Every structure is written in structure tokens, then in C-alpha cells.
Amino acid sequence: MDSNEENHKIRPARLSCNGPNKTEVNPKYILPPSERPRLAEVVSSSEGCIPTLDLTGLDGPQRQGLIAQIKQSCEVGVFQIINHGVSEELMENMMEVSNGFFKMPVEDHAELYIENPKATARLYTSSIVGKEKVCNWREILRLSCQYPLEQTINSWPPKPQAFRDIAAKYCTEVRALILRILTAISEALGLDPDYLSKCMGTHRQVMAVNYYPMCPNPELTFGIPPHSDPTVVTVLQQGDLSGLQVLKNGKWIAVEPIPNAFVVNVADQLEVISNGRFRSVEHRAVTNSTKARISIPTFYGPSTDAFIAPAKSLVIEECGHPALYRGFIFEEYLKKYKSQELKSKTVLDCFKINIE
Ligand code: OGA
Ligand code: NI
């Protein structure tokens, strides 16, 4: 191991402020003026622009009605769900151990600073360490969830004591929820209920814990700059602090937290498979100056060998639905995604078919 790698491994991920009172944002996090979040222009989702779905009746007689709502919501690209089957207690416990994890001293984190992006548990700052011009105001604990979990969890943080058990239970339950949602989304597209699940190969689930420390000036920084997610869907627990914002009709909307809800967003592969009927929503996370924020996204998508293409029945040239994307092996997409900074939907554009 060369000394650089060694240094990297023990480098504290803690974000730091400058100035004598440590109240100034370190210049490496300061965005150029044209890229700043302009928080005064952000609209609140409490004005009703982001749907909230009650999933209570999803497996009962109200299924068809709910599927119609899921269809409308996926056209928006983002929605919140309540009564989704994951217990309140488990959600709280997951948030609590995540909090506990980030409160631990830096020494307890050192083992998890691993360069190798294939590691099944990693802690790092920003999105692609070292590649960004401006760093993001976040730390990320990224856990890959390979089933059966028994082996994978040995690489997960051993502390806080309950972390592994709770995270294992959480990711198992969230996966079950996501599989129900994928069935419903397939039906919403008029496809076989198992269509999405089948075209995702052996599936790939990654859970992250995003930690956004308090930031002295949220106008100057991003937790995560505008981007779309590379997978099929993302299911996010955002706790009780607002920070997630989505782009809708050219305006940034703050997705206000609803107790015990998950935020679901359509990601890039679902936009491709649905042939553009469902939109991979552009979103970002902003920082705040009063409290640290934790969010827990679960990214669910295809295995690298899966072939992704618009569903044949959704390509109907004569009715104005020509294929919008070419097919590709998911690995090709991932390579493109990793080779550039996290930028708004630029990766998806590489697979677009030009239509005159
Ligand atoms: C992400 C993401 C939003 C949030 O991790 O990809 O968009 O609110 N997170 O943390
Ligand atoms: Ni995202």
C-alpha cells in the first residue's frame, strides 16, 4: 500500500469549517455563484405538488385505484408513501443507529475509509472523492446488500452495537416493500406484474446513510448537487428535517418530511424501460444551518449483466411512441456514470435515440 492510500484510509471524513470561530464555510465547498441553490426561490411541497399515497389497500380490493395513482405519481417522478408496511419502530431504530454511527469518534470510522468502490461497506465524503471541483457537504456510509446477508454484514460497521442487526432487518423489509412497488409499477405500465423484476437480472440493492453536518451558510453549498439516480427506483427515509428538493416544471420543490413516510423516486433505468412515460426526477439535497441531517436512501436496480431497454409493448411508432433509448447492458451505463461527476441526467442522454 503506498503512503497516499494509507493517508486516505485514516483521513478523517469530518467536514470542517474555517475561520477563528469555525463559522466560515471552507472554500473547497463553496459553489460558484451561478450554481448555488438560491433557496429563496424554492417552493414547498406542502402546496400539494408532490403526491402522497396511502398504500394500505395495495394488496386488497383498492389495488386498481392505487395503481392508477402510482401511474400518475411516476409521471411526476417522485411521491411519498405512508402505511407502506415497514414498521415505524424499525424506521426509528434505523435512524437512531445511523445517528449513533456518525456521532462516534473518528477513530471508530477509520476502518471504513476504503478506496475500493467494490467494497461492500465504505465511508467517504463528497460523491467521487477527489474528482469534484467543489466538494459536497456530506459524508456517506454506503452498504451493499447482498442476500443472504449473513456474509455481507460482516463488513458493515460493528458499532454501534445494534447497527448490523437493525440495518439487516431494515434493508430486508425495504426490499420487500420495493418488490411490491415494482410489481405495482409494472402493472401501472400495462406490463406483466413481474416484468420489472425479471428484466433486472439478479437485482442490486445498495443502502446509504447520508450525513449532512450543520452548515454555516446553506446558500453556498450543496449536500448533493442536482442529479438523477442511476438505478430503477430509490426509496428514501428522510427523517424529520427537510433537505431533499426535486425539479418540477423548472422549479425546485422542497419535499417536506411526513412522519413515517418514504420518498420514492423514479430513477434512470425506469425512465428507459418505461420508454420515457415515467421520468427519472432530477433532485438535490441542500444543507441547513441549525441541525445535522441524516437521510437513508435505498437504491434498487439491475445487476450489472442485465439488459435494459424500453419495454417492447411501450414502443408504438405509429401512435407517437418511438423508442427513445437504445438498449444496453447495465454495466455499460454504470461505467459511463462512474466516469463523470454526478451531473444532471447527462448519463441517460448518452443512450438517447435522436428523433427528428
Ligand atoms: C441520494 C439523494 C437525497 C437526500 O443520496 O442520491 O438524492 O435527501 N439523497 O439525502
Ligand atoms: Ni439521489
Side-chain angles (χ1 to χ4, degrees), residues 138 210 212 224 227 229 236 238 243-244 283 285 293 295 297 299:
R138 77 160 169 167
N210 290 316
Y212 307 100
I224 318 180
H227 68 284
D229 292 338
L236 175 107
Q238 71 158 342
L244 171 67
H283 56 284
R293 171 175 179 263
S295 72
F299 304 101

Side-chain angles (χ1 to χ4, degrees), residues 189-192 195 273 275 277 310-316 321:
L189 285 166
L191 302 168
D192 286 341
Y195 187 93
I273 297 166
N275 198 28
R277 286 177 179 67
K312 282 207 173 71
S313 63
L314 301 177
V315 178
I316 326 166
H321 291 295

Side-chain angles (χ1 to χ4, degrees), residues 2-59:
D2 70 31
S3 63
N4 257 351
E5 258 180 85
E6 183 78 35
N7 279 345
H8 182 74
K9 209 172 172 197
I10 54 168
R11 185 176 64 96
R14 292 275 138 82
L15 301 180
S16 56
C17 295
N18 274 356
N21 302 320
K22 300 220 176 280
T23 52
E24 284 163 32
V25 176
N26 186 321
K28 68 181 186 187
Y29 299 96
I30 298 183
L31 295 157
S34 64
E35 289 172 29
R36 290 181 188 167
R38 295 157 44 149
L39 298 173
E41 293 166 27
V42 173
V43 179
S44 166
S45 67
S46 56
E47 292 176 22
C49 37
I50 308 259
T52 301
L53 307 190
D54 181 340
L55 296 192
T56 307
L58 187 60
D59 301 314

